[in-house]
C-alpha cells in the first residue's frame, strides 16, 4: 500500500467516506462528495500501471483528482497543495491492487460512515461488499452492479447481515437504519438524468416526486422572469466587492434560505431561486400508439379491390332478383352459388339468367385470388404486429434516440413511461434494446446513423430532441452535426466518454449555435451525483451549489419529526435552515394513490400528518436538525 497524499500519513478522521474504484467514476464521485457535500473522502485506486481508464497521466497526485472539480460544483475551486478542495473536504488518495482487508484497514473502512464500490467488474464489487459488511456492519454501502437481479439479492443479504450484527451488538435503531445497501448501475442512474434533460430543456434539474425542480441564478434586475413557476428563494448571493476592492467581507457571503422579507443591507444582491419546470415535450400519442389500426389490416389497394368486388356481387344479386322474380334472399343465395361455381348450369332458363350466371362465374374467378391475397396479407399483418414499426406520417416534436445499448434501453423505457413520442435508431438488430422497442411498439430504424438517409428516416428534421447515446463519441458527434444542419433548433443531449472531449464539443456547439440547447456529458459526470446522493443518505434527492455552500433537496417522512408533524404546510419554514416545497400524500385523493403537490396548491390550512412525505430545501445544518443528527463538520 502506497499513500499518495503528500501529507504525512495519518489515520482517517471519523466520520469520513471511502470511495473504491478503477475508472473515472471514482474520481468524479470523490470530487462530488468533497466539493458539493463537504465530506472527508478517502479514495482507493489501483496502481497507475494497472488502472483501466485513468483520465490523466498524473492521477497519482491528489491535486489531479480535483483538476476538473469546477465542472462539477460550479463555483467550487480546485484543491490546494494540502489536498483540501474549495468545498472544504479533505481528500486522501491511496493505491491498492485490489480492495482487500489490508486496503480497507488503511482506508479506515471500519470507521467510515459510507463506502462506495464502483469497480467496473461486478465480481470485484460483490467480494468487496461482503468484506466491508463484515469489517463494519454499520457502514452505508453503495455498490455499482450491472446485474439487476444479483443486485436485489445482494442488497437483501447485506441488509440482513447488518441487522443481525446490530442486534448482536445492541446498536441503536438509528445506526441500523443508516446501514443500508444501495445497488446502482450506470444505466439506471444515467438514464433519468438524460431523460430529464431531454424533456425539460434544462441541464440542472432535480426530479422529486414527479416534479422537476430547477435552480436558476438571477440578478435583482431580472428577478421574476424565470421559465418555470417560482417556488422560493434558495439563496441571496454574496454582495459585490466594495469600490476599489476585490475582497468580499465575511459578513457579505451568500445567505441561504432567506425569509420572505429582505433584510436590510441585502439590496442589490443576486439570488438563486427554485422553479417548478414544466415538460417541454407533451405526450402526443398518435394512432400508431393506440394499438393495431384497423385501416392497416389490409393494404389500400386490396381494400379497394375487395370493395369493388363486393359491390359487383351486390349488383349481380339485385340483377338476379329482378330477372328471376324470386325473393331477395333466394336471389342472393343463387348469386353466391354462381359466384363459387357450385350451382347447376342454367341451361333450361332464360337468357337473362344465363348471362348473370356467366358474369357471376367470371366475378368468382376474380374473387378467389383476392381472398387468398387477403388471407396472406392479414397473416402478415399479425406477424408484423410484433416487428419493428416505422415512424408514422406527420410525426413531429418527438425524441430521436440513437443507440439501444445498456443506457439507451433504460432511456427508452423511461421515455415511454412519461408518454413521450420517440423514434429509435440502432445499428445492431440484436441489441438488447431492440426487443424492448418491439414490445413497446416504438418506431425503430435499423441502420448506421452515419449512413445517408438513416436520420432522415427517423424524421430528425421534425424532431424536438436528439439523444445521441451510441458507444462511439465520433458517431454521436457526426449525428449531432447532421441534425443541427437540417434542424438548427433541435435540442441535443450527447453521451461522450471522454470528459475533456465532451467539454470541447459542448463549447464549440454552444458558440456555433448560441440559441440552440446543447448538452454533452461523460457517463461518469451523469452518474456521480446519484452515487453521491446514495452515500449521503437515501433522503437526498439532489444538491444546489451556491458559491462555496450548498442547499440540499431531500424527501423526509413527516412521522416522527415534531418540526413537521402537526404543523401547517404554509408555515413549514425555518429561515436559514429549511423550507418545505411540496407534499406527497394520499389524503387528497379518493383513489388512495400518491400524488405530489406544491405547497401553493394545497388546500388552505392544510396540516401535515404522519402519512405525508415532504420535499424540503435545507442547509446541511438544517437537514441535520430534521434528521436528528449533527452534520459532518467541515474543515476551515
Amino acid at each position: 500500500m502506497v499513500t499518495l497524499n503528500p501529507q504525512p500519513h495519518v489515520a482517517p478522521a471519523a466520520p469520513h467516506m471511502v470511495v473504491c474504484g478503477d475508472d473515472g467514476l471514482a474520481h468524479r464521485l470523490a470530487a462530488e462528495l468533497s466539493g458539493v457535500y463537504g465530506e472527508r473522502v478517502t479514495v482507493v485506486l489501483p496502481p497507475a500501471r494497472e488502472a483501466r481508464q485513468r483520465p490523466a497521466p498524473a492521477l497519482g497526485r491528489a491535486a489531479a483528482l480535483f483538476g476538473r472539480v469546477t465542472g462539477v460544483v460550479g463555483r467550487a475551486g480546485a484543491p490546494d497543495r494540502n489536498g483540501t478542495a474549495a468545498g472544504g473536504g479533505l481528500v486522501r488518495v491511496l493505491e491498492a491492487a485490489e480492495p482487500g482487508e489490508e486496503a480497507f484497514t488503511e482506508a479506515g473502512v471500519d470507521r467510515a460512515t459510507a463506502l462506495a464500490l464502483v469497480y467496473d467488474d461486478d465480481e470485484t464489487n460483490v467480494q468487496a461488499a461482503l468484506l466491508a459488511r463484515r469489517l463494519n456492519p454499520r457502514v452505508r454501502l453503495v455498490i455499482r452492479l450491472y446485474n439487476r437481479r444479483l443486485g436485489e439479492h445482494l442488497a437483501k443479504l447485506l441488509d440482513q447481515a447488518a441487522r443481525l450484527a446490530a442486534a448482536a451488538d445492541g446498536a441503536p435503531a438509528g445506526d441500523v437504519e443508516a446501514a443500508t445497501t444501495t445497488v446502482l448501475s450506470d444505466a439506471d442512474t444515467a438514464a433519468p438524468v438524460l431523460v430529464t434533460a431531454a424533456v425539460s430543456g434544462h441541464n440542472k434539474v432535480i426530479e422529486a416526486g414527479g416534479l422537476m425542480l430547477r435552480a436558476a441564478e438571477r440578478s435583482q434586475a431580472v428577478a421574476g422572469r424565470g421559465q418555470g413557476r417560482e417556488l422560493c428563494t434558495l439563496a441571496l448571493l454574496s454582495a459585490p466587492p466594495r469600490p476599489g476592492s476585490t475582497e468580499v467581507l465575511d459578513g457579505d457571503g451568500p445567505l441561504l434560505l432567506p425569509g420572505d422579507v429582505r433584510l436590510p443591507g441585502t439590496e442589490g444582491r443576486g439570488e438563486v431561486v427554485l422553479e417548478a419546470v414544466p415538460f417541454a415535450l407533451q405526450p402526443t400519442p398518435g394512432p400508431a400508439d393506440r394499438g393495431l389500426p384497423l385501416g392497416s389490416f389490409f393494404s389500400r389497394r386490396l381494400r379497394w379491390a375487395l370493395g369493388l368486388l363486393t359491390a359487383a356481387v351486390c349488383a349481380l344479386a339485385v340483377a338476379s332478383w329482378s330477372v328471376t322474380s324470386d325473393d331477395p334472399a333466394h336471389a342472393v343465395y343463387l348469386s353466391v352459388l354462381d359466384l363459387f361455381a357450385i350451382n347447376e348450369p342454367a341451361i333450361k332458363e332464360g337468357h337473362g339468367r344465363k348471362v348473370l350466371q356467366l358474369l357471376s362465374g367470371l366475378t368468382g374467378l376474380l374473387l378467389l385470388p383476392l381472398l387468398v391475397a387477403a388471407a396472406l396479407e392479414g397473416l402478415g399483418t399479425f406477424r408484423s404486429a410484433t416487428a419493428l414499426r416505422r415512424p408514422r406520417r406527420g410525426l413531429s416534436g418527438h425524441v430521436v434516440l440513437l443507440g439501444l445499448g445498456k443506457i439507451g434501453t433504460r432511456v427508452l423505457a423511461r421515455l415511454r413511461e412519461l408518454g413521450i413520442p420517440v423514434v429509435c435508431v440502432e445499428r445492431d438488430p440484436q441489441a438488447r434494446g431492440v426487443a424492448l422497442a418491439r414490445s413497446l411498439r416504438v418506431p425503430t430504424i435499423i441502420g448506421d446513423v452515419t449512413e445517408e438517409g438513416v436520420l432522415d428516416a427517423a424524421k430528425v428534421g421534425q424532431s424536438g430532441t436528439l439523444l445521441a447515446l451510441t458507444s462511439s463519441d465520433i458517431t454521436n458527434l457526426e449525428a449531432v452535426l447532421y441534425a443541427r444542419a437540417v434542424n438548427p433548433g433541435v435540442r441535443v443531449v450527447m453521451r461522450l466518454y471522454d470528459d475533456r472531449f465532451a467539454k470541447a464539443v459542448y463549447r464549440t456547439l454552444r458558440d456555433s449555435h448560441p440559441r440552440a440547447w446543447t448538452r454533452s456529458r461523460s457517463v461518469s459526470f451523469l452518474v456521480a451525483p446519484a452515487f453521491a446522493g446514495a452515500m449521503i443518505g437515501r433522503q437526498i434527492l439532489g444538491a444546489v451549489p451556491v458559491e462555496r455552500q450548498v442547499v440540499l433537496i431531500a424527501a423526509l417522512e413527516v412521522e416522527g419529526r415534531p418540526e413537521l408533524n402537526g404543523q401547517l404546510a404554509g408555515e413549514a419554514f425555518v429561515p436559514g435552515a429549511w423550507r418545505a416545497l411540496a407534499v406527497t400524500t394520499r389524503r387528497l385523493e379518493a383513489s388512495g394513490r400518491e400524488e405530489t403537490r406544491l405547497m401553493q396548491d394545497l388546500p388552505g390550512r392544510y396540516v401535515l400528518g404522519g402519512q405525508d412525505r415532504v420535499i424540503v430545501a435545507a442547509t446541511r445544518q438544517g437537514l441535520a436538525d430534521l434528521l436528528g443528527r449533527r452534520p459532518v463538520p467541515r474543515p476551515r
Side-chain angles (χ1 to χ4, degrees):
M1 180 69 60
V2 178
T3 302
L4 297 181
N5 196 307
Q7 293 180 331
H9 172 67
V10 293
H16 70 289
M17 296 185 175
V18 180
V19 176
C20 302
D22 57 358
D23 60 8
L25 178 56
H27 304 275
R28 180 68 66 176
L29 178 55
E32 187 86 8
L33 290 170
S34 178
V36 176
Y37 295 100
E39 298 288 346
R40 292 187 176 92
V41 183
T42 299
V43 187
V44 179
L45 301 172
R49 61 183 180 276
E50 300 180 9
R52 300 176 183 176
Q53 298 179 13
R54 306 300 289 270
L59 284 177
R61 298 188 301 271
L65 176 63
F66 292 90
R68 299 191 302 273
V69 71
T70 54
V72 184
V73 298
R75 300 185 179 214
D80 58 25
R81 63 183 58 188
N82 294 326
T84 303
L90 181 63
V91 179
R92 297 175 64 244
V93 181
L94 306 177
E95 281 191 356
E98 60 182 13
E101 185 169 353
E102 181 183 354
F104 280 176
T105 300
E106 187 166 352
V109 171
D110 56 334
R111 299 179 299 277
T113 58
L115 168 65
L117 300 169
V118 293
Y119 291 95
D120 192 47
D121 179 56
D122 282 3
E123 183 178 355
T124 301
N125 290 327
V126 171
Q127 294 178 356
L130 296 174
L131 175 61
R133 183 58 81 202
R134 179 171 61 85
L135 294 177
N136 185 356
R138 303 180 185 182
V139 69
R140 182 183 296 115
L141 288 176
V142 178
I143 310 171
R144 173 188 183 182
L145 287 182
Y146 294 113
N147 191 326
R148 272 184 170 182
R149 183 173 299 179
L150 174 62
E152 294 176 0
H153 294 310
L154 180 64
K156 294 179 181 178
L157 175 65
L158 294 176
D159 286 344
Q160 178 67 17
R163 286 192 293 268
L164 293 177
D169 297 340
D175 292 347
V176 179
E177 294 178 359
T180 58
T181 303
T182 304
V183 178
L184 301 173
S185 72
D186 293 356
D188 292 331
T189 52
V193 182
L194 293 168
V195 173
T196 298
V199 302
S200 68
H202 300 288
N203 63 328
K204 184 57 180 178
V205 178
I206 299 171
E207 186 175 357
L211 302 175
M212 287 192 175
L213 308 177
R214 170 180 179 257
E217 184 174 326
R218 304 182 194 163
S219 63
Q220 189 182 23
V222 297
R225 298 180 184 177
Q227 299 179 0
R229 181 180 178 185
E230 184 175 327
L231 302 181
C232 67
T233 300
L234 291 180
L236 298 179
L237 300 177
S238 298
R242 301 292 185 266
S245 173
T246 59
E247 203 174 312
V248 178
L249 300 179
D250 293 339
D252 295 333
L255 181 62
L256 302 184
L257 295 174
D260 296 330
V261 180
R262 285 212 171 192
L263 299 176
T266 61
E267 297 81 3
R269 292 195 186 188
E271 60 184 10
V272 178
V273 299
L274 193 67
E275 301 175 344
V277 182
F279 286 160
L281 293 177
Q282 297 297 332
T284 55
D289 299 320
R290 302 191 187 107
L292 182 64
L294 296 178
S296 65
F297 189 79
F298 300 119
S299 65
R300 184 177 181 183
R301 292 182 178 180
L302 185 59
R303 292 199 306 269
W304 273 103
L306 291 175
L308 292 175
L309 194 59
T310 302
V313 172
C314 293
L316 290 174
V318 172
S320 176
W321 172 44
S322 62
V323 169
T324 59
S325 299
D326 293 335
D327 60 275
H330 186 66
V332 172
Y333 175 70
L334 291 177
S335 298
V336 173
L337 293 179
D338 294 336
L339 191 68
F340 291 102
I342 57 178
N343 195 12
E344 295 182 359
I347 299 176
K348 299 180 180 180
E349 302 194 23
H351 296 291
R353 176 75 182 90
K354 294 178 180 179
V355 172
L356 288 175
Q357 192 174 53
L358 292 175
L359 292 176
S360 297
L362 293 175
T363 305
L365 294 177
L366 299 175
L367 176 62
L368 290 178
L370 286 176
L371 291 178
V372 174
L376 294 177
E377 191 167 295
L379 179 61
T381 301
F382 280 111
R383 293 182 62 183
S384 62
T386 57
L388 297 175
R389 303 177 63 84
R390 305 288 292 183
R392 59 182 174 84
R393 293 182 178 179
L395 181 64
S396 63
H398 58 286
V399 174
V400 176
L401 175 60
L402 309 182
L404 289 176
K406 183 174 56 179
I407 293 181
T409 301
R410 297 289 186 265
V411 170
L412 172 60
R414 181 59 176 158
L415 287 172
R416 295 308 296 156
E417 289 176 1
L418 295 174
I420 304 298
V422 57
V423 175
C424 301
V425 180
E426 172 56 48
R427 180 179 182 179
D428 182 11
Q430 303 301 322
R432 68 178 70 194
V434 173
L436 177 63
R438 182 183 292 110
S439 63
L440 295 177
R441 309 188 65 192
V442 173
T444 304
I445 308 298
I446 299 297
D448 191 342
V449 298
T450 60
E451 295 179 355
E452 185 176 358
V454 174
L455 288 177
D456 293 331
K459 301 184 181 297
V460 71
Q462 295 80 38
S463 65
T465 301
L466 175 66
L467 277 168
L469 307 180
T470 71
S471 58
S472 172
D473 288 1
I474 299 301
T475 299
N476 291 336
L477 178 58
E478 184 176 349
V480 168
L481 293 178
Y482 179 80
R484 277 277 188 260
V486 298
N487 186 359
V490 67
R491 184 182 300 121
V492 168
V493 180
M494 279 187 296
R495 170 196 177 189
L496 299 177
Y497 284 84
D498 187 83
D499 198 17
R500 289 172 292 183
F501 180 60
K503 291 181 179 179
V505 169
Y506 165 68
R507 291 169 181 170
T508 303
L509 291 176
R510 180 192 59 188
D511 296 339
S512 303
H513 302 273
R515 296 185 179 181
W517 195 88
T518 304
R519 289 294 178 268
S520 59
R521 291 290 183 265
S522 65
V523 175
S524 62
F525 185 95
L526 295 175
V527 303
F531 277 77
M535 293 185 70
I536 296 297
R538 289 182 176 177
Q539 303 95 340
I540 304 296
L541 303 177
V544 179
V546 180
E547 298 181 1
R548 295 190 177 186
Q549 302 185 42
V550 62
V551 176
L552 303 175
I553 308 298
L556 303 176
E557 299 293 338
V558 174
E559 183 68 29
R561 292 186 170 85
E563 300 90 349
L564 298 172
N565 200 355
Q567 302 295 321
L568 291 176
E571 299 176 0
F573 173 40
V574 176
W578 55 271
R579 181 168 196 156
L581 305 174
V583 175
T584 301
T585 182
R586 288 193 177 99
R587 288 188 290 168
L588 301 177
E589 294 296 320
S591 61
R593 64 182 180 89
E594 288 188 352
E595 181 180 1
T596 302
R597 295 191 181 184
L598 299 173
M599 288 298 179
Q600 295 91 323
D601 298 334
L602 291 174
R605 311 295 293 178
Y606 182 86
V607 178
L608 299 176
Q611 65 271 49
D612 295 334
R613 184 167 61 252
V614 178
I615 298 174
V616 300
T619 62
R620 297 178 72 250
Q621 182 71 52
L623 182 61
D625 293 339
L626 289 174
L627 295 177
R629 59 181 176 85
R630 309 306 299 174
V632 178
R634 299 167 65 113
R636 298 293 180 182

